Amino acid sequence: MENIVVIGGGTMGNGIAHTAAATGFEVTLVEVAQELLDRALSTVSKNLQRGVDKGKMTASERDAILSRIRPTIDMQSIGNADIVIEAIMENLEAKTQLFARLDAITKPECILASNTSSISITKIAAATRRPEKVIGMHFMNPVPVMTLVEVIRGIATSDETYQRVEDLSKRMGKTPIEVNDYPGFISNRVLMPMINEAIFALYEGVATRESIDGVMKLGMNHPMGPLTLADFIGLDVCLAILRVLESGFGDPKYRPCPLLVKMVDAGWLGRKSGRGFYRY
Ligand code: NAI
């Protein structure tokens, strides 16, 4: 499997393209507009430069990696892909529309993978005529640094598709872990209730934000506390994922803390908006 296509060059897509190129693959990166492509490539270039500055790679290695990324805004040009990794915005309609289109454009043996963090792989697969070739490849942010790929099997995903994606993840230097398709998979099903509980503890005045984060850092050896992590992920993203868990399981144990809802209403979305549980 050599011909990799990444759709969407945002936070995740440019990291996936970077990682594929850095591990020797030729990768095509698709965006909707030239300026977004330029921005994605300049982000990859900047991130690679950091490696050069630290003496981890030479300038010619950086250039070789960049030259393996083929940027394009022409979706029709990807017909020869062996695998497409989708990393567009987290929106069911946008994803099902895109997968129906990919199903029409790509050759029948091409695998269609989604980097979704919370949308059902089974649902995305149902928009295609090849649900056995649709799978989740859930990379973590920042992609070049984080080793996990949560590989999610939809109800119809075949063993062969799983094997090919497991193999590709390893060749990209990652550690794949197999998970079945239920709301939140494993990563967010376990992480988001913990973050939500930390927010409830703050809301109820059990401890300050620093104390809550401090207990989890020092006591549980987490590299950052749950409130800091929530700010990093984005409070709107945390809320959206909790809603997916709440509606997907129909279980009130996933009810988002009212403080989280209020902060999102206020536009306090964490690091990206300058204010969340902390100020940036
Ligand atoms: P983002 O908003 O940074 O990037 C999405 C990009 O996709 C944008 O640049 C947009 O122009 C492009 N795009 C939209 N429609 C397109 C189309 N039809 N063709 C080509 N490009 C298109 O989003 P981000 O954060 O990179 O998230 C992407 C996916 O990865 C989402 O499904 C998200 O849930 C998932 N994810 C995000 C993580 C994160 O920490 N940001 C972590 C793990 C998964």
Side-chain angles (χ1 to χ4, degrees), residues 6-14 16 29-33 36-37 39-40 72 75 86-91 94-95 98 101 114-119 137-143 188 232-233 237 241:
V6 176
I7 313 247
T11 309
M12 297 304 286
N14 78 61
I16 297 167
L29 181 62
V30 184
E31 256 293 353
V32 286
L36 294 169
L37 265 184
R39 197 199 300 166
T72 182
M75 178 92 88
E86 167 276 314
I88 70 166
M89 68 282 233
E90 188 74 342
N91 175 290
K95 291 203 198 276
L98 176 63
R101 182 150 179 230
S114 175
N115 185 55
T116 178
S117 39
S118 65
I119 294 173
M137 262 183 113
H138 185 201
F139 291 86
M140 305 291 128
N141 183 22
V143 182
N188 283 317
F232 181 74
I233 294 170
V237 174
I241 295 173

mmCIF file of all heavy atoms in Angstrom, residues 6-14 16 29-33 36-37 39-40 72 75 86-91 94-95 98 101 114-119 137-143 188 232-233 237 241, ligand 1:
data_model
loop_
_atom_site.group_PDB
_atom_site.id
_atom_site.type_symbol
_atom_site.label_atom_id
_atom_site.label_comp_id
_atom_site.label_asym_id
_atom_site.label_seq_id
_atom_site.Cartn_x
_atom_site.Cartn_y
_atom_site.Cartn_z
ATOM 1 N N VAL A 6 -4.390 12.152 1.780
ATOM 2 C CA VAL A 6 -4.970 12.733 2.994
ATOM 3 C C VAL A 6 -5.910 13.859 2.564
ATOM 4 O O VAL A 6 -5.519 14.719 1.766
ATOM 5 C CB VAL A 6 -3.867 13.284 3.932
ATOM 6 C CG1 VAL A 6 -4.485 13.980 5.145
ATOM 7 C CG2 VAL A 6 -2.933 12.163 4.372
ATOM 8 N N ILE A 7 -7.142 13.833 3.063
ATOM 9 C CA ILE A 7 -8.103 14.889 2.703
ATOM 10 C C ILE A 7 -8.300 15.820 3.890
ATOM 11 O O ILE A 7 -8.725 15.380 4.962
ATOM 12 C CB ILE A 7 -9.467 14.298 2.315
ATOM 13 C CG1 ILE A 7 -9.277 13.134 1.354
ATOM 14 C CG2 ILE A 7 -10.384 15.403 1.770
ATOM 15 C CD1 ILE A 7 -9.752 13.318 -0.005
ATOM 16 N N GLY A 8 -7.989 17.092 3.685
ATOM 17 C CA GLY A 8 -8.069 18.086 4.758
ATOM 18 C C GLY A 8 -6.667 18.330 5.306
ATOM 19 O O GLY A 8 -5.996 17.380 5.724
ATOM 20 N N GLY A 9 -6.242 19.578 5.275
ATOM 21 C CA GLY A 9 -4.872 19.899 5.707
ATOM 22 C C GLY A 9 -4.850 20.727 6.970
ATOM 23 O O GLY A 9 -3.926 21.496 7.215
ATOM 24 N N GLY A 10 -5.865 20.556 7.816
ATOM 25 C CA GLY A 10 -5.920 21.300 9.081
ATOM 26 C C GLY A 10 -4.999 20.684 10.120
ATOM 27 O O GLY A 10 -4.028 19.994 9.792
ATOM 28 N N THR A 11 -5.319 20.907 11.394
ATOM 29 C CA THR A 11 -4.490 20.436 12.507
ATOM 30 C C THR A 11 -4.066 18.981 12.314
ATOM 31 O O THR A 11 -2.890 18.649 12.400
ATOM 32 C CB THR A 11 -5.301 20.523 13.820
ATOM 33 O OG1 THR A 11 -5.847 21.822 13.918
ATOM 34 C CG2 THR A 11 -4.444 20.213 15.030
ATOM 35 N N MET A 12 -5.024 18.122 12.053
ATOM 36 C CA MET A 12 -4.730 16.688 11.973
ATOM 37 C C MET A 12 -4.184 16.294 10.608
ATOM 38 O O MET A 12 -3.219 15.536 10.510
ATOM 39 C CB MET A 12 -5.980 15.869 12.292
ATOM 40 C CG MET A 12 -6.494 16.072 13.703
ATOM 41 S SD MET A 12 -5.266 15.739 14.975
ATOM 42 C CE MET A 12 -5.190 13.951 14.925
ATOM 43 N N GLY A 13 -4.809 16.807 9.538
ATOM 44 C CA GLY A 13 -4.420 16.399 8.188
ATOM 45 C C GLY A 13 -2.974 16.738 7.872
ATOM 46 O O GLY A 13 -2.256 15.920 7.295
ATOM 47 N N ASN A 14 -2.524 17.934 8.277
ATOM 48 C CA ASN A 14 -1.124 18.248 7.937
ATOM 49 C C ASN A 14 -0.165 17.391 8.754
ATOM 50 O O ASN A 14 0.902 17.015 8.276
ATOM 51 C CB ASN A 14 -0.827 19.761 7.982
ATOM 52 C CG ASN A 14 -0.648 20.309 9.373
ATOM 53 O OD1 ASN A 14 0.237 19.901 10.108
ATOM 54 N ND2 ASN A 14 -1.504 21.260 9.739
ATOM 55 N N ILE A 16 -0.798 14.251 9.646
ATOM 56 C CA ILE A 16 -0.825 12.905 9.051
ATOM 57 C C ILE A 16 0.032 12.879 7.784
ATOM 58 O O ILE A 16 0.834 11.956 7.579
ATOM 59 C CB ILE A 16 -2.284 12.468 8.758
ATOM 60 C CG1 ILE A 16 -3.092 12.367 10.060
ATOM 61 C CG2 ILE A 16 -2.307 11.122 8.022
ATOM 62 C CD1 ILE A 16 -4.612 12.259 9.863
ATOM 63 N N LEU A 29 -1.937 15.539 -0.577
ATOM 64 C CA LEU A 29 -2.737 16.275 0.407
ATOM 65 C C LEU A 29 -3.772 17.123 -0.330
ATOM 66 O O LEU A 29 -3.411 17.949 -1.166
ATOM 67 C CB LEU A 29 -1.817 17.160 1.260
ATOM 68 C CG LEU A 29 -2.499 17.983 2.352
ATOM 69 C CD1 LEU A 29 -3.187 17.090 3.374
ATOM 70 C CD2 LEU A 29 -1.485 18.881 3.057
ATOM 71 N N VAL A 30 -5.049 16.882 -0.023
ATOM 72 C CA VAL A 30 -6.138 17.576 -0.719
ATOM 73 C C VAL A 30 -6.781 18.608 0.210
ATOM 74 O O VAL A 30 -7.120 18.292 1.355
ATOM 75 C CB VAL A 30 -7.232 16.572 -1.169
ATOM 76 C CG1 VAL A 30 -8.313 17.291 -1.992
ATOM 77 C CG2 VAL A 30 -6.637 15.426 -1.976
ATOM 78 N N GLU A 31 -6.933 19.819 -0.308
ATOM 79 C CA GLU A 31 -7.658 20.872 0.430
ATOM 80 C C GLU A 31 -8.672 21.513 -0.507
ATOM 81 O O GLU A 31 -8.702 21.205 -1.703
ATOM 82 C CB GLU A 31 -6.673 21.928 0.968
ATOM 83 C CG GLU A 31 -6.395 21.824 2.469
ATOM 84 C CD GLU A 31 -7.600 22.147 3.371
ATOM 85 O OE1 GLU A 31 -8.643 22.588 2.855
ATOM 86 O OE2 GLU A 31 -7.479 21.973 4.587
ATOM 87 N N VAL A 32 -9.500 22.384 0.044
ATOM 88 C CA VAL A 32 -10.538 23.004 -0.782
ATOM 89 C C VAL A 32 -10.071 24.297 -1.445
ATOM 90 O O VAL A 32 -10.686 24.763 -2.392
ATOM 91 C CB VAL A 32 -11.831 23.284 0.032
ATOM 92 C CG1 VAL A 32 -12.582 22.002 0.300
ATOM 93 C CG2 VAL A 32 -11.528 24.009 1.333
ATOM 94 N N ALA A 33 -8.995 24.897 -0.953
ATOM 95 C CA ALA A 33 -8.525 26.151 -1.543
ATOM 96 C C ALA A 33 -7.007 26.215 -1.471
ATOM 97 O O ALA A 33 -6.397 25.663 -0.547
ATOM 98 C CB ALA A 33 -9.131 27.344 -0.805
ATOM 99 N N LEU A 36 -5.330 27.416 1.728
ATOM 100 C CA LEU A 36 -5.347 26.451 2.839
ATOM 101 C C LEU A 36 -4.255 25.402 2.651
ATOM 102 O O LEU A 36 -3.633 24.949 3.616
ATOM 103 C CB LEU A 36 -6.725 25.800 2.941
ATOM 104 C CG LEU A 36 -7.844 26.765 3.334
ATOM 105 C CD1 LEU A 36 -9.213 26.124 3.156
ATOM 106 C CD2 LEU A 36 -7.665 27.215 4.788
ATOM 107 N N LEU A 37 -4.024 25.043 1.384
ATOM 108 C CA LEU A 37 -2.924 24.111 1.089
ATOM 109 C C LEU A 37 -1.586 24.741 1.467
ATOM 110 O O LEU A 37 -0.733 24.094 2.085
ATOM 111 C CB LEU A 37 -2.887 23.818 -0.410
ATOM 112 C CG LEU A 37 -3.583 22.590 -0.950
ATOM 113 C CD1 LEU A 37 -3.299 22.482 -2.436
ATOM 114 C CD2 LEU A 37 -3.162 21.319 -0.217
ATOM 115 N N ARG A 39 -1.047 27.048 3.591
ATOM 116 C CA ARG A 39 -0.921 27.147 5.039
ATOM 117 C C ARG A 39 -0.523 25.783 5.641
ATOM 118 O O ARG A 39 0.322 25.689 6.518
ATOM 119 C CB ARG A 39 -2.228 27.648 5.651
ATOM 120 C CG ARG A 39 -2.030 28.151 7.067
ATOM 121 C CD ARG A 39 -3.317 28.225 7.860
ATOM 122 N NE ARG A 39 -4.280 29.131 7.230
ATOM 123 C CZ ARG A 39 -5.566 29.186 7.548
ATOM 124 N NH1 ARG A 39 -6.043 28.410 8.501
ATOM 125 N NH2 ARG A 39 -6.389 30.006 6.941
ATOM 126 N N ALA A 40 -1.146 24.715 5.117
ATOM 127 C CA ALA A 40 -0.837 23.370 5.627
ATOM 128 C C ALA A 40 0.637 23.041 5.394
ATOM 129 O O ALA A 40 1.331 22.559 6.293
ATOM 130 C CB ALA A 40 -1.730 22.342 4.940
ATOM 131 N N THR A 72 -2.736 19.306 -3.617
ATOM 132 C CA THR A 72 -3.664 19.538 -4.728
ATOM 133 C C THR A 72 -5.033 19.988 -4.211
ATOM 134 O O THR A 72 -5.416 19.667 -3.082
ATOM 135 C CB THR A 72 -3.828 18.274 -5.605
ATOM 136 O OG1 THR A 72 -4.704 18.578 -6.701
ATOM 137 C CG2 THR A 72 -4.451 17.122 -4.834
ATOM 138 N N MET A 75 -9.723 17.139 -6.370
ATOM 139 C CA MET A 75 -10.123 15.852 -5.798
ATOM 140 C C MET A 75 -10.210 14.747 -6.853
ATOM 141 O O MET A 75 -9.954 13.584 -6.578
ATOM 142 C CB MET A 75 -11.477 16.032 -5.119
ATOM 143 C CG MET A 75 -12.034 14.777 -4.540
ATOM 144 S SD MET A 75 -11.540 14.600 -2.855
ATOM 145 C CE MET A 75 -12.850 15.471 -2.083
ATOM 146 N N GLU A 86 -9.276 10.505 5.649
ATOM 147 C CA GLU A 86 -10.073 11.731 5.687
ATOM 148 C C GLU A 86 -9.868 12.438 7.016
ATOM 149 O O GLU A 86 -9.977 11.821 8.081
ATOM 150 C CB GLU A 86 -11.549 11.350 5.462
ATOM 151 C CG GLU A 86 -12.563 12.429 5.765
ATOM 152 C CD GLU A 86 -12.932 12.488 7.238
ATOM 153 O OE1 GLU A 86 -13.195 11.425 7.843
ATOM 154 O OE2 GLU A 86 -12.934 13.610 7.781
ATOM 155 N N ALA A 87 -9.560 13.756 6.945
ATOM 156 C CA ALA A 87 -9.399 14.558 8.169
ATOM 157 C C ALA A 87 -10.048 15.926 7.975
ATOM 158 O O ALA A 87 -9.425 16.962 8.208
ATOM 159 C CB ALA A 87 -7.919 14.693 8.535
ATOM 160 N N ILE A 88 -11.299 15.942 7.491
ATOM 161 C CA ILE A 88 -12.036 17.204 7.365
ATOM 162 C C ILE A 88 -12.785 17.464 8.681
ATOM 163 O O ILE A 88 -12.672 16.695 9.639
ATOM 164 C CB ILE A 88 -12.999 17.205 6.153
ATOM 165 C CG1 ILE A 88 -14.190 16.275 6.369
ATOM 166 C CG2 ILE A 88 -12.253 16.840 4.869
ATOM 167 C CD1 ILE A 88 -15.348 16.473 5.379
ATOM 168 N N MET A 89 -13.559 18.530 8.710
ATOM 169 C CA MET A 89 -14.211 18.909 9.969
ATOM 170 C C MET A 89 -15.142 17.813 10.506
ATOM 171 O O MET A 89 -15.651 16.996 9.740
ATOM 172 C CB MET A 89 -14.983 20.223 9.830
ATOM 173 C CG MET A 89 -16.193 20.141 8.927
ATOM 174 S SD MET A 89 -15.655 20.180 7.222
ATOM 175 C CE MET A 89 -16.637 21.493 6.586
ATOM 176 N N GLU A 90 -15.380 17.862 11.799
ATOM 177 C CA GLU A 90 -16.171 16.831 12.483
ATOM 178 C C GLU A 90 -17.660 17.103 12.278
ATOM 179 O O GLU A 90 -18.328 17.671 13.149
ATOM 180 C CB GLU A 90 -15.794 16.834 13.974
ATOM 181 C CG GLU A 90 -16.377 15.702 14.777
ATOM 182 C CD GLU A 90 -15.707 14.358 14.528
ATOM 183 O OE1 GLU A 90 -15.019 14.196 13.510
ATOM 184 O OE2 GLU A 90 -15.892 13.463 15.363
ATOM 185 N N ASN A 91 -18.173 16.685 11.120
ATOM 186 C CA ASN A 91 -19.575 16.956 10.795
ATOM 187 C C ASN A 91 -20.094 15.765 9.989
ATOM 188 O O ASN A 91 -19.530 15.427 8.941
ATOM 189 C CB ASN A 91 -19.643 18.266 9.986
ATOM 190 C CG ASN A 91 -21.036 18.569 9.486
ATOM 191 O OD1 ASN A 91 -21.558 17.883 8.602
ATOM 192 N ND2 ASN A 91 -21.650 19.586 10.039
ATOM 193 N N ALA A 94 -21.041 16.393 6.257
ATOM 194 C CA ALA A 94 -19.857 16.659 5.421
ATOM 195 C C ALA A 94 -19.113 15.351 5.159
ATOM 196 O O ALA A 94 -18.657 15.087 4.044
ATOM 197 C CB ALA A 94 -18.950 17.673 6.107
ATOM 198 N N LYS A 95 -19.010 14.524 6.191
ATOM 199 C CA LYS A 95 -18.238 13.281 6.019
ATOM 200 C C LYS A 95 -18.984 12.283 5.126
ATOM 201 O O LYS A 95 -18.373 11.659 4.256
ATOM 202 C CB LYS A 95 -17.909 12.659 7.383
ATOM 203 C CG LYS A 95 -16.896 13.505 8.180
ATOM 204 C CD LYS A 95 -16.154 12.682 9.202
ATOM 205 C CE LYS A 95 -15.473 13.498 10.293
ATOM 206 N NZ LYS A 95 -14.141 14.022 9.952
ATOM 207 N N LEU A 98 -18.683 13.396 1.569
ATOM 208 C CA LEU A 98 -17.328 13.180 1.048
ATOM 209 C C LEU A 98 -17.085 11.689 0.764
ATOM 210 O O LEU A 98 -16.530 11.333 -0.279
ATOM 211 C CB LEU A 98 -16.291 13.704 2.054
ATOM 212 C CG LEU A 98 -14.838 13.441 1.676
ATOM 213 C CD1 LEU A 98 -14.467 14.159 0.373
ATOM 214 C CD2 LEU A 98 -13.900 13.902 2.790
ATOM 215 N N ARG A 101 -18.631 10.536 -2.368
ATOM 216 C CA ARG A 101 -17.850 11.022 -3.516
ATOM 217 C C ARG A 101 -16.568 10.194 -3.683
ATOM 218 O O ARG A 101 -16.206 9.807 -4.804
ATOM 219 C CB ARG A 101 -17.524 12.501 -3.282
ATOM 220 C CG ARG A 101 -16.767 13.120 -4.402
ATOM 221 C CD ARG A 101 -17.058 14.623 -4.570
ATOM 222 N NE ARG A 101 -16.248 15.126 -5.679
ATOM 223 C CZ ARG A 101 -15.477 16.207 -5.596
ATOM 224 N NH1 ARG A 101 -15.442 16.925 -4.488
ATOM 225 N NH2 ARG A 101 -14.764 16.588 -6.645
ATOM 226 N N SER A 114 -11.292 7.152 8.105
ATOM 227 C CA SER A 114 -11.660 8.443 8.683
ATOM 228 C C SER A 114 -10.906 8.661 9.989
ATOM 229 O O SER A 114 -10.765 7.746 10.795
ATOM 230 C CB SER A 114 -13.162 8.502 8.971
ATOM 231 O OG SER A 114 -13.455 9.728 9.634
ATOM 232 N N ASN A 115 -10.460 9.904 10.175
ATOM 233 C CA ASN A 115 -9.792 10.267 11.430
ATOM 234 C C ASN A 115 -10.796 10.823 12.454
ATOM 235 O O ASN A 115 -10.416 11.424 13.459
ATOM 236 C CB ASN A 115 -8.716 11.322 11.112
ATOM 237 C CG ASN A 115 -7.880 11.692 12.305
ATOM 238 O OD1 ASN A 115 -7.301 10.838 12.945
ATOM 239 N ND2 ASN A 115 -7.806 12.969 12.633
ATOM 240 N N THR A 116 -12.082 10.593 12.234
ATOM 241 C CA THR A 116 -13.089 11.146 13.142
ATOM 242 C C THR A 116 -12.811 10.797 14.604
ATOM 243 O O THR A 116 -12.363 9.697 14.921
ATOM 244 C CB THR A 116 -14.506 10.647 12.786
ATOM 245 O OG1 THR A 116 -15.425 11.199 13.737
ATOM 246 C CG2 THR A 116 -14.632 9.137 12.819
ATOM 247 N N SER A 117 -13.117 11.747 15.503
ATOM 248 C CA SER A 117 -12.924 11.431 16.916
ATOM 249 C C SER A 117 -14.215 10.974 17.577
ATOM 250 O O SER A 117 -14.184 10.486 18.701
ATOM 251 C CB SER A 117 -12.332 12.623 17.672
ATOM 252 O OG SER A 117 -12.887 13.816 17.230
ATOM 253 N N SER A 118 -15.362 11.119 16.881
ATOM 254 C CA SER A 118 -16.597 10.732 17.564
ATOM 255 C C SER A 118 -17.737 10.272 16.673
ATOM 256 O O SER A 118 -18.754 9.824 17.175
ATOM 257 C CB SER A 118 -17.086 11.902 18.430
ATOM 258 O OG SER A 118 -17.447 12.984 17.610
ATOM 259 N N ILE A 119 -17.571 10.370 15.360
ATOM 260 C CA ILE A 119 -18.680 9.972 14.481
ATOM 261 C C ILE A 119 -18.592 8.474 14.203
ATOM 262 O O ILE A 119 -17.499 7.911 14.074
ATOM 263 C CB ILE A 119 -18.654 10.797 13.184
ATOM 264 C CG1 ILE A 119 -18.941 12.277 13.501
ATOM 265 C CG2 ILE A 119 -19.661 10.269 12.168
ATOM 266 C CD1 ILE A 119 -18.775 13.221 12.343
ATOM 267 N N MET A 137 -9.213 5.577 11.457
ATOM 268 C CA MET A 137 -7.776 5.683 11.795
ATOM 269 C C MET A 137 -7.682 6.943 12.635
ATOM 270 O O MET A 137 -7.551 8.042 12.109
ATOM 271 C CB MET A 137 -6.925 5.841 10.531
ATOM 272 C CG MET A 137 -6.285 4.600 10.019
ATOM 273 S SD MET A 137 -5.243 4.956 8.569
ATOM 274 C CE MET A 137 -3.612 4.604 9.263
ATOM 275 N N HIS A 138 -7.809 6.782 13.938
ATOM 276 C CA HIS A 138 -7.904 7.929 14.850
ATOM 277 C C HIS A 138 -6.516 8.256 15.395
ATOM 278 O O HIS A 138 -6.048 7.637 16.343
ATOM 279 C CB HIS A 138 -8.892 7.592 15.980
ATOM 280 C CG HIS A 138 -9.172 8.724 16.908
ATOM 281 N ND1 HIS A 138 -9.662 8.545 18.186
ATOM 282 C CD2 HIS A 138 -9.038 10.065 16.767
ATOM 283 C CE1 HIS A 138 -9.808 9.713 18.769
ATOM 284 N NE2 HIS A 138 -9.434 10.647 17.932
ATOM 285 N N PHE A 139 -5.878 9.224 14.720
ATOM 286 C CA PHE A 139 -4.565 9.705 15.166
ATOM 287 C C PHE A 139 -4.767 10.685 16.324
ATOM 288 O O PHE A 139 -5.841 11.247 16.497
ATOM 289 C CB PHE A 139 -3.855 10.425 14.026
ATOM 290 C CG PHE A 139 -3.413 9.538 12.896
ATOM 291 C CD1 PHE A 139 -4.280 9.221 11.852
ATOM 292 C CD2 PHE A 139 -2.127 9.025 12.860
ATOM 293 C CE1 PHE A 139 -3.868 8.405 10.803
ATOM 294 C CE2 PHE A 139 -1.711 8.204 11.815
ATOM 295 C CZ PHE A 139 -2.583 7.894 10.782
ATOM 296 N N MET A 140 -3.719 10.886 17.094
ATOM 297 C CA MET A 140 -3.783 11.825 18.223
ATOM 298 C C MET A 140 -2.995 13.086 17.868
ATOM 299 O O MET A 140 -2.057 13.036 17.075
ATOM 300 C CB MET A 140 -3.183 11.187 19.489
ATOM 301 C CG MET A 140 -3.801 9.851 19.875
ATOM 302 S SD MET A 140 -5.516 9.995 20.462
ATOM 303 C CE MET A 140 -6.322 8.782 19.406
ATOM 304 N N ASN A 141 -3.351 14.176 18.479
ATOM 305 C CA ASN A 141 -2.728 15.475 18.225
ATOM 306 C C ASN A 141 -1.635 15.751 19.258
ATOM 307 O O ASN A 141 -1.926 15.604 20.448
ATOM 308 C CB ASN A 141 -3.836 16.533 18.317
ATOM 309 C CG ASN A 141 -3.365 17.927 18.010
ATOM 310 O OD1 ASN A 141 -2.358 18.118 17.356
ATOM 311 N ND2 ASN A 141 -4.100 18.905 18.499
ATOM 312 N N PRO A 142 -0.425 16.171 18.894
ATOM 313 C CA PRO A 142 0.095 16.367 17.541
ATOM 314 C C PRO A 142 0.555 15.044 16.903
ATOM 315 O O PRO A 142 1.292 14.275 17.542
ATOM 316 C CB PRO A 142 1.285 17.310 17.766
ATOM 317 C CG PRO A 142 1.692 17.125 19.196
ATOM 318 C CD PRO A 142 0.516 16.610 19.951
ATOM 319 N N VAL A 143 0.113 14.832 15.670
ATOM 320 C CA VAL A 143 0.313 13.526 15.029
ATOM 321 C C VAL A 143 1.787 13.095 14.936
ATOM 322 O O VAL A 143 2.093 11.941 15.223
ATOM 323 C CB VAL A 143 -0.336 13.503 13.619
ATOM 324 C CG1 VAL A 143 -0.163 12.141 12.972
ATOM 325 C CG2 VAL A 143 -1.815 13.853 13.710
ATOM 326 N N ASN A 188 -12.059 8.524 23.737
ATOM 327 C CA ASN A 188 -12.931 9.568 24.267
ATOM 328 C C ASN A 188 -13.969 9.049 25.248
ATOM 329 O O ASN A 188 -14.458 9.794 26.095
ATOM 330 C CB ASN A 188 -13.592 10.325 23.127
ATOM 331 C CG ASN A 188 -12.610 11.292 22.487
ATOM 332 O OD1 ASN A 188 -11.873 11.976 23.190
ATOM 333 N ND2 ASN A 188 -12.564 11.326 21.170
ATOM 334 N N PHE A 232 -6.714 22.530 26.154
ATOM 335 C CA PHE A 232 -5.888 22.212 24.990
ATOM 336 C C PHE A 232 -6.744 21.608 23.866
ATOM 337 O O PHE A 232 -6.633 21.984 22.698
ATOM 338 C CB PHE A 232 -4.773 21.246 25.416
ATOM 339 C CG PHE A 232 -3.834 20.865 24.303
ATOM 340 C CD1 PHE A 232 -2.883 21.766 23.833
ATOM 341 C CD2 PHE A 232 -3.895 19.604 23.728
ATOM 342 C CE1 PHE A 232 -2.028 21.419 22.797
ATOM 343 C CE2 PHE A 232 -3.034 19.247 22.692
ATOM 344 C CZ PHE A 232 -2.099 20.164 22.219
ATOM 345 N N ILE A 233 -7.630 20.695 24.222
ATOM 346 C CA ILE A 233 -8.490 20.039 23.221
ATOM 347 C C ILE A 233 -9.499 21.027 22.640
ATOM 348 O O ILE A 233 -9.827 20.992 21.456
ATOM 349 C CB ILE A 233 -9.244 18.846 23.858
ATOM 350 C CG1 ILE A 233 -8.252 17.743 24.253
ATOM 351 C CG2 ILE A 233 -10.313 18.286 22.923
ATOM 352 C CD1 ILE A 233 -8.887 16.639 25.117
ATOM 353 N N VAL A 237 -15.132 21.223 21.669
ATOM 354 C CA VAL A 237 -14.923 19.845 21.198
ATOM 355 C C VAL A 237 -15.287 18.855 22.319
ATOM 356 O O VAL A 237 -15.975 17.858 22.080
ATOM 357 C CB VAL A 237 -13.452 19.650 20.739
ATOM 358 C CG1 VAL A 237 -13.179 18.195 20.382
ATOM 359 C CG2 VAL A 237 -13.145 20.560 19.543
ATOM 360 N N ILE A 241 -18.324 16.035 22.115
ATOM 361 C CA ILE A 241 -18.075 14.591 22.287
ATOM 362 C C ILE A 241 -18.926 14.039 23.437
ATOM 363 O O ILE A 241 -19.489 12.946 23.346
ATOM 364 C CB ILE A 241 -16.574 14.307 22.486
ATOM 365 C CG1 ILE A 241 -15.800 14.692 21.208
ATOM 366 C CG2 ILE A 241 -16.336 12.821 22.818
ATOM 367 C CD1 ILE A 241 -14.295 14.616 21.330
HETATM 368 P P1 NAI B 1 -9.419 21.465 11.113
HETATM 369 O O1 NAI B 1 -10.617 22.319 11.107
HETATM 370 O O2 NAI B 1 -8.140 21.974 11.671
HETATM 371 O O3 NAI B 1 -9.109 20.996 9.604
HETATM 372 C C1 NAI B 1 -10.070 20.518 8.705
HETATM 373 C C2 NAI B 1 -9.601 20.909 7.292
HETATM 374 O O4 NAI B 1 -10.358 20.180 6.324
HETATM 375 C C3 NAI B 1 -9.787 22.389 6.958
HETATM 376 O O5 NAI B 1 -8.537 22.939 6.592
HETATM 377 C C4 NAI B 1 -10.780 22.387 5.791
HETATM 378 O O6 NAI B 1 -10.493 23.392 4.810
HETATM 379 C C5 NAI B 1 -10.560 21.004 5.206
HETATM 380 N N1 NAI B 1 -11.700 20.495 4.443
HETATM 381 C C6 NAI B 1 -13.005 20.567 4.770
HETATM 382 N N2 NAI B 1 -13.751 19.960 3.817
HETATM 383 C C7 NAI B 1 -12.903 19.486 2.892
HETATM 384 C C8 NAI B 1 -13.054 18.761 1.689
HETATM 385 N N3 NAI B 1 -14.253 18.386 1.247
HETATM 386 N N4 NAI B 1 -11.950 18.444 0.974
HETATM 387 C C9 NAI B 1 -10.723 18.800 1.413
HETATM 388 N N5 NAI B 1 -10.516 19.479 2.559
HETATM 389 C C10 NAI B 1 -11.594 19.822 3.292
HETATM 390 O O7 NAI B 1 -9.863 20.097 11.819
HETATM 391 P P2 NAI B 1 -8.952 19.060 12.647
HETATM 392 O O8 NAI B 1 -8.836 19.506 14.053
HETATM 393 O O9 NAI B 1 -7.739 18.757 11.859
HETATM 394 O O10 NAI B 1 -9.919 17.782 12.667
HETATM 395 C C11 NAI B 1 -10.086 16.956 11.551
HETATM 396 C C12 NAI B 1 -10.716 15.653 11.982
HETATM 397 O O11 NAI B 1 -9.865 14.999 12.909
HETATM 398 C C13 NAI B 1 -12.074 15.802 12.677
HETATM 399 O O12 NAI B 1 -12.879 14.718 12.296
HETATM 400 C C14 NAI B 1 -11.699 15.721 14.150
HETATM 401 O O13 NAI B 1 -12.742 15.232 14.947
HETATM 402 C C15 NAI B 1 -10.565 14.714 14.112
HETATM 403 N N6 NAI B 1 -9.606 14.786 15.224
HETATM 404 C C16 NAI B 1 -9.159 15.984 15.705
HETATM 405 C C17 NAI B 1 -8.239 16.017 16.744
HETATM 406 C C18 NAI B 1 -7.685 17.316 17.244
HETATM 407 O O14 NAI B 1 -7.064 17.303 18.311
HETATM 408 N N7 NAI B 1 -7.866 18.424 16.554
HETATM 409 C C19 NAI B 1 -7.733 14.788 17.368
HETATM 410 C C20 NAI B 1 -8.209 13.585 16.737
HETATM 411 C C21 NAI B 1 -9.137 13.596 15.723
#
